[in-house]
Amino acid sequence: MIRDGYTVKVILYYERDFFYLLDEGVEIIEIEKNTGTKNVFVNTLWFRKYLIDAKIDMLISFLAVFNILAVIATAYTKIPIIVADRNDPSKVPGNVILRMCRNVVYNFANGVILQSEHNREYFSKRVQKKSKVIYNPLIIGENAGKALTVKKEKCIVSIGRLIPQKNQKILIKAFVQFQKNHPEYILIIYGEGSERKMLERYIADNNMEKNVFLPGQKKDVLNEILGAEVFVLSSNYEGMPNALAEAMGVGLPVISTKVSGATDLIIDGENGLLININDVDELYLALERYAADSELRNKCAKRAAEIIELLSVDKIVKQWEMYILSLVNGE
């Protein structure tokens, strides 16, 4: 959007290191760094004053808790605001009271961006009427389709934070069963999080230390997974799973639970395999199905790579731009 002539500011509540590269034209504003306090009331007042003084044309807020804060901060300012929900709204926030507040507050936003039709259907008709589903853009550069051309290893991979939501334990359980028939395979799960010790104990209890690996978070993770035979997403819920989209974009055959986003992107048996949530047996059978059928793997991998066109940056940015302009122009 900077290249298209827009001025873009990114306002962060907390001070954080940046995982992604940002265009040098993006101005970064950190609320806590400016206020010197963690007091939410003080920070919200500072945020409100900044928005008014900056005379912005549109505020776009991400993540439910910060969306609540942003709507409150812009109340009676006439600043248009779009709130973007980035996870399954029926599960996140985990606190029921916060979910109820979010559901009420979204009625006062000018627009609502959601990541899948499944997530859109959760909200009231009033919110749905002013909402739009926009997928995440797929930014994988030269890795697009690259997995289709590299030599394959007997390796199954997954990417995701090691947290209960991602439910990597059922993947390890299914792999333990799968590995009895296929001892040549290994499983690598990239990511870091609170469930690491529990998963490490489970791996040790099943004597799988030489077959299941947790190497942590990798910035070049797409290069790491290109030679894998299969990618698995075992989550209990999602908004739009970036790791799954990226795995499809590089050209890996994928297996995913039927979470929001996955059911938008995957046609079962055509460009991937879908399984029921938290179903170890279905996951095991899906792994066996791929292992036994190279034609199916190749077909799903090739079809999966076609997702690059659907999720191209140009297409997604244009959808955002058109939606923003429609609200600014009062359409």
Side-chain angles (χ1 to χ4, degrees):
M1 295 191 79
I2 285 175
R3 288 196 297 270
D4 287 345
Y6 290 88
T7 298
V8 179
K9 302 172 185 283
V10 173
I11 304 173
L12 305 176
Y13 191 89
Y14 303 112
E15 288 187 67
R16 288 289 187 271
D17 292 332
F18 301 115
F19 187 81
Y20 294 102
L21 292 175
L22 296 180
D23 189 288
E24 61 182 12
V26 175
E27 182 182 351
I28 306 296
I29 298 98
E30 297 166 311
I31 294 177
E32 283 193 351
K33 187 175 181 178
N34 279 277
T35 64
T37 180
K38 295 186 179 297
N39 185 291
V40 176
F41 180 72
V42 172
N43 288 335
T44 303
L45 288 178
W46 184 93
F47 180 37
R48 178 185 174 87
K49 184 177 185 305
Y50 175 84
L51 294 173
I52 294 170
D53 292 345
K55 298 179 180 179
I56 64 169
D57 299 301
M58 173 67 69
L59 174 65
I60 303 171
S61 176
F62 293 84
L63 303 179
V65 172
F66 298 105
N67 293 344
I68 295 171
L69 182 149
V71 171
I72 292 171
T74 56
Y76 303 108
T77 64
K78 296 184 179 180
I79 296 171
I81 178 171
I82 295 173
V83 292
D85 222 84
R86 314 312 288 174
N87 215 318
D88 186 331
S90 68
K91 302 288 195 306
V92 179
N95 184 294
V96 175
I97 294 174
L98 279 177
R99 286 207 301 272
M100 292 173 64
C101 289
R102 184 236 8 236
N103 294 350
V104 172
V105 164
Y106 279 17
N107 286 295
F108 298 96
N110 298 84
V112 181
I113 293 288
L114 300 161
Q115 294 179 298
S116 72
E117 290 296 339
H118 171 274
N119 291 351
R120 188 171 184 264
E121 290 169 1
Y122 166 84
F123 289 99
S124 67
K125 296 296 183 183
R126 182 178 175 184
V127 170
Q128 286 186 37
K129 188 175 180 180
K130 59 184 172 184
S131 70
K132 184 173 179 61
V133 173
I134 301 180
Y135 298 151
N136 289 349
L138 189 56
I139 308 170
I140 55 177
E142 63 182 13
N143 284 317
K146 195 171 181 180
L148 299 172
T149 62
V150 303
K151 183 180 178 181
K152 293 297 176 182
E153 306 290 339
K154 296 297 183 181
C155 176
I156 296 162
V157 294
S158 184
I159 303 170
R161 288 171 296 156
L162 307 182
I163 58 175
Q165 173 188 345
K166 304 299 182 179
N167 199 3
Q168 288 100 344
K169 188 174 181 179
I170 72 155
L171 172 54
I172 299 173
K173 280 185 177 181
F175 181 76
V176 169
Q177 189 176 352
F178 172 82
Q179 213 262 345
K180 292 175 183 177
N181 301 326
H182 306 277
E184 71 277 18
Y185 279 80
I186 63 170
L187 170 64
I188 305 177
I189 302 174
Y190 295 94
E192 199 54 78
S194 60
E195 295 286 273
R196 171 175 281 278
K197 288 186 177 180
M198 180 276 291
L199 295 174
E200 288 176 338
R201 282 197 304 272
Y202 187 80
I203 291 167
D205 290 345
N206 285 276
N207 301 311
M208 297 296 285
E209 296 97 325
K210 294 182 179 180
N211 306 97
V212 180
F213 303 94
L214 307 175
Q217 195 174 34
K218 300 275 188 177
K219 283 203 172 186
D220 60 347
V221 70
L222 292 185
N223 285 319
E224 300 281 345
I225 70 173
L226 293 176
E229 194 168 284
V230 176
F231 174 93
V232 180
L233 181 81
S234 53
S235 296
N236 291 332
Y237 57 91
E238 289 283 348
M240 173 58 70
N242 288 337
L244 175 66
E246 289 169 348
M248 294 176 74
V250 301
L252 288 179
V254 300
I255 300 169
S256 176
T257 46
K258 294 175 182 176
V259 291
S260 171
T263 52
D264 293 65
L265 301 179
I266 295 175
I267 303 171
D268 189 37
E270 293 297 320
N271 63 348
L273 301 179
L274 289 170
I275 62 168
N276 287 321
I277 294 169
N278 200 33
D279 195 321
V280 175
D281 292 336
E282 273 203 20
L283 180 47
Y284 161 71
L285 291 173
L287 290 171
E288 287 284 5
R289 187 177 173 190
Y290 268 148
D293 193 340
S294 61
E295 287 188 9
L296 176 65
R297 290 200 309 272
N298 292 335
K299 180 185 77 169
C300 286
K302 289 176 182 177
R303 290 288 306 278
E306 295 172 5
I307 201 174
I308 295 166
E309 178 64 22
L310 175 68
L311 303 181
S312 73
V313 175
D314 289 343
K315 278 191 175 181
I316 301 302
V317 170
K318 183 57 67 176
Q319 290 174 34
W320 272 96
E321 185 176 19
M322 290 177 67
Y323 185 63
I324 291 168
L325 291 176
S326 71
L327 295 178
V328 170
N329 296 329
E331 297 175 9

